Amino acid sequence: MEWIVLFFFNWIIFILLVDWKKFNINMFAGFLAIGMALVTDYYNGIIRQRYIIHDSMIDILGSSLFFLVGPCFVIGTLIAQYYPKKKWMTVLNVLVVTGIYSLTELILVGRDVVEYKNWYYFDSLLVNVGAMIIISWFSVTILDKWRC
């Protein structure tokens, strides 16, 4: 049930904030976020058994479909849309988005739908910062070229 609630909450935010005119390009950052989450969950969850995702409802390579098309897609797409123009804001943007995303994970752990085995919250923070940096780089380097 938590996965569905998370999915709907993220899509409500998405519908309120998305710029549909730019969606056809920004969505690729959302797909990148889904891909990175799949690789991370498959490698760390299934292969290395560092954590377990419970009650995923629809399991895709060790992750929940509702998580992938909820928070992952939404955050990836919105990072591309709201990428800051000022360089100094980029660091703040990455930290704030990472904080929100990591808080979501902390709630999922608290609700027992994600169970850490040989994994720690700090591990997630590092992975999440790296993911937000990669999505930010992709947005400014690749997607900006497509916007011209």
Side-chain angles (χ1 to χ4, degrees), residues 28-29 32 133-144 146:
F28 291 105
L32 174 65
I133 289 170
I134 291 169
I135 295 167
S136 295
W137 171 85
F138 180 80
S139 299
V140 78
T141 304
I142 306 298
L143 296 186
D144 274 354
W146 293 352

Side-chain angles (χ1 to χ4, degrees), residues 2-113:
E2 286 85 353
W3 299 112
I4 294 175
V5 170
L6 185 62
F7 169 82
F8 281 115
F9 178 73
N10 276 269
W11 271 86
I12 289 168
I13 291 170
F14 183 76
I15 289 169
L16 293 173
L17 297 178
V18 72
D19 180 351
W20 291 106
K21 294 174 195 162
K22 298 177 183 176
F23 176 73
N24 62 338
I25 291 175
N26 293 334
M27 70 179 178
F28 291 105
F31 293 137
L32 174 65
I34 288 173
M36 289 189 305
L38 275 172
V39 168
T40 301
D41 287 345
Y42 180 72
Y43 179 75
N44 289 310
I46 292 179
I47 294 176
R48 304 291 294 196
Q49 297 181 347
R50 293 181 174 163
Y51 54 81
I52 298 171
I53 296 175
H54 296 289
D55 304 323
S56 63
M57 305 188 77
I58 301 174
D59 183 270
I60 298 180
L61 297 176
S63 193
S64 170
L65 173 67
F66 293 103
F67 177 72
L68 296 170
V69 296
C72 293
F73 182 78
V74 168
I75 287 174
T77 304
L78 292 180
I79 282 177
Q81 178 177 315
Y82 289 105
Y83 191 80
K85 300 293 181 208
K86 296 183 180 183
K87 292 188 188 265
W88 67 271
M89 287 290 293
T90 302
V91 174
L92 182 62
N93 185 53
V94 165
L95 293 175
V96 168
V97 174
T98 299
I100 293 168
Y101 188 81
S102 298
L103 181 61
T104 301
E105 182 176 338
L106 195 59
I107 292 169
L108 293 172
V109 169
R111 299 283 304 164
D112 294 325
V113 293

